[in-house]
Amino acid sequence: MSDYEFKMGMYLGELRQPWEQSLATARDLGARYVWCGAHSEGRSLYQLSDAEIDVAAAQVAAHGLEFFLIEGGGLFKTVHLAELAPGRMLEHADFREHLSRLERSMEVSARLGIGAVSCSSFAWPAEYTGGKPTWPMRWATRGGIISDGDMVKLVEAFSMFADLAEKHEVDLAFLMMQWNYGNTSRNFRRIVEAVGSRRFKALWCPADSYNCGEVDNATAGFENLRPYLHGVHAKDLRTIDGSKLEFEYTPIGEGDVDYPTILRNLRDNRCDVILSIATHFLPPSGSPVEAMETNYANIRRLIGELP
């Protein structure tokens, strides 16, 4: 297994630096693959003109880096599934606007020759408007119970996404965020298998899955996701009281996520994925760059300690 390469990436937004400075930092820390939300002046890549996109891509290449997906500004992360009506989703202003952003992100991805666009899988009821009322249920059931009615809506929406992905010949890498329906490996598979698109991939976040109660995500969760993996969004946290959503972010290797098992599984199964390092925690200095340095050092140490 010594010839297996962990492909190191980074979410640039964690650095909180101007665009070109963040590229230099990513390169200096040893990243090869990058993705980002904001680009400049509060704009994301999908909001740039084609000429500006070409300049951004040239800047990435000049730093010896590559994009591994295009981020469309939190697509569908805050769109509440409960507000969508079957057969009438395009009447919902937020859904329509996010769908437009999704297609523009796909156009950018296709223009730059990047294989994937990131997407989220809709917010649980009142997640961003009513204090996360379904959280205790989701914790108790290790991810949340998706009703038959919700599945009908998820399949309808995801089918639209699949059609666009086929049209533009790009994949959709779903961010497995704890606030969304595709938060755990089991929920993710239930949704994407109901649609059956070859374009659906997972940008796995083991910390978010663990914090939803999927405590076996490093083993059973990995096996569920292995056929779909596009990347791993690597951060760490410690769950204090799961039923009350009490947790704290930590440096990688100091929280509850079983990264040694995850890294070993990636290596032993020779998974062709990007290990995208995030932070979320801040050191006493308050420096996000120091936080990224710490997480890069910790993940390298964990890789070096693999048996």
Side-chain angles (χ1 to χ4, degrees), residues 88-102:
R88 298 168 50 196
M89 291 185 180
L90 291 176
E91 296 176 14
H92 189 281
D94 285 346
F95 179 88
R96 190 168 60 248
E97 191 262 332
H98 281 243
L99 194 66
S100 175
R101 281 164 41 189
L102 174 62

Side-chain angles (χ1 to χ4, degrees), residues 19 29 32 56 69 79 95 101 108 124 186 199 219 223 240 259 276 279 282 284:
W19 167 248
L29 287 176
R32 181 180 169 189
L69 56 77
V79 177
F95 179 88
R101 281 164 41 189
V108 172
W124 290 84
R186 295 162 180 85
R199 292 293 183 181
T219 51
E223 286 301 325
I240 300 167
Y259 275 106
S276 176
T279 57
L282 282 177

Side-chain angles (χ1 to χ4, degrees), residues 49-64:
S49 67
D50 286 350
E52 290 173 313
I53 287 165
D54 292 344
V55 170
Q59 292 169 328
V60 169
H63 285 82

Side-chain angles (χ1 to χ4, degrees), residues 7-287:
K7 296 181 177 181
M8 303 299 290
M10 183 182 298
Y11 179 65
L12 296 176
E14 300 274 7
L15 298 171
R16 304 181 197 173
Q17 291 181 321
W19 167 248
E20 285 202 79
Q21 186 178 359
S22 72
L23 295 176
T25 299
R27 176 200 59 205
D28 293 345
L29 287 176
R32 181 180 169 189
Y33 302 91
V34 295
W35 59 298
C36 63
H39 171 265
S40 59
E41 299 174 355
R43 295 186 299 164
S44 296
L45 286 173
Y46 74 90
Q47 295 174 303
L48 304 182
S49 67
D50 286 350
E52 290 173 313
I53 287 165
D54 292 344
V55 170
Q59 292 169 328
V60 169
H63 285 82
L65 303 169
E66 299 177 40
F67 283 118
F68 81 98
L69 56 77
I70 293 295
E71 209 280 330
L75 290 169
F76 302 100
K77 173 184 174 182
T78 59
V79 177
H80 290 92
L81 188 70
E83 297 178 359
L84 303 180
R88 298 168 50 196
M89 291 185 180
L90 291 176
E91 296 176 14
H92 189 281
D94 285 346
F95 179 88
R96 190 168 60 248
E97 191 262 332
H98 281 243
L99 194 66
S100 175
R101 281 164 41 189
L102 174 62
E103 182 156 28
R104 173 56 181 163
S105 298
M106 290 177 174
E107 291 171 352
V108 172
S109 180
R111 180 180 181 84
L112 298 181
I114 300 165
V117 170
S118 69
C119 190
S120 294
S121 53
F122 298 99
W124 290 84
E127 185 72 14
Y128 293 98
T129 57
K132 307 186 188 306
T134 66
W135 183 266
M137 175 276 290
R138 284 146 58 192
W139 173 260
T141 58
R142 301 176 67 193
I145 297 172
I146 301 176
S147 70
D148 290 344
D150 283 346
M151 274 300 299
V152 168
K153 292 192 285 187
L154 287 165
V155 168
E156 179 180 339
F158 275 52
S159 296
M160 293 186 204
F161 303 164
D163 289 344
L164 288 176
E166 289 293 347
K167 173 183 174 182
H168 295 283
E169 298 184 333
V170 298
D171 291 339
L172 272 177
F174 287 92
L175 282 76
M176 296 178 60
M177 308 181 75
Q178 56 195 321
W179 322 121
N180 294 159
Y181 277 82
N183 52 358
T184 63
S185 68
R186 295 162 180 85
N187 281 351
F188 174 85
R189 283 200 64 152
R190 184 181 173 197
I191 297 167
V192 301
E193 288 177 0
V195 179
S197 172
R198 67 189 179 97
R199 292 293 183 181
F200 291 165
K201 308 296 180 182
L203 185 55
W204 182 27
C205 184
D208 278 6
S209 296
Y210 186 98
N211 209 34
C212 290
E214 191 175 46
V215 295
D216 61 347
N217 74 93
T219 51
F222 169 79
E223 286 301 325
N224 286 335
L225 295 173
R226 185 156 60 97
Y228 299 95
L229 282 178
H230 179 75
V232 179
H233 188 52
K235 60 186 181 185
D236 208 346
L237 52 75
R238 182 180 298 110
T239 299
I240 300 167
D241 187 334
S243 65
K244 296 180 180 178
L245 192 55
E246 293 179 2
F247 68 95
E248 61 181 3
Y249 290 111
T250 71
I252 287 176
E254 297 181 20
D256 292 331
V257 180
D258 186 0
Y259 275 106
T261 297
I262 290 169
L263 294 169
R264 187 173 65 250
N265 280 335
L266 292 173
R267 181 200 65 187
D268 291 353
N269 289 278
R270 307 189 69 80
C271 295
D272 185 15
V273 301
I274 308 300
L275 193 57
S276 176
I277 309 302
T279 57
H280 283 48
F281 83 96
L282 282 177
S285 68
S287 167

Side-chain angles (χ1 to χ4, degrees), residues 277-299:
I277 309 302
T279 57
H280 283 48
F281 83 96
L282 282 177
S285 68
S287 167
V289 174
E290 182 184 340
M292 188 64 79
E293 291 171 345
T294 297
N295 272 358
Y296 253 78
N298 287 4
I299 206 78

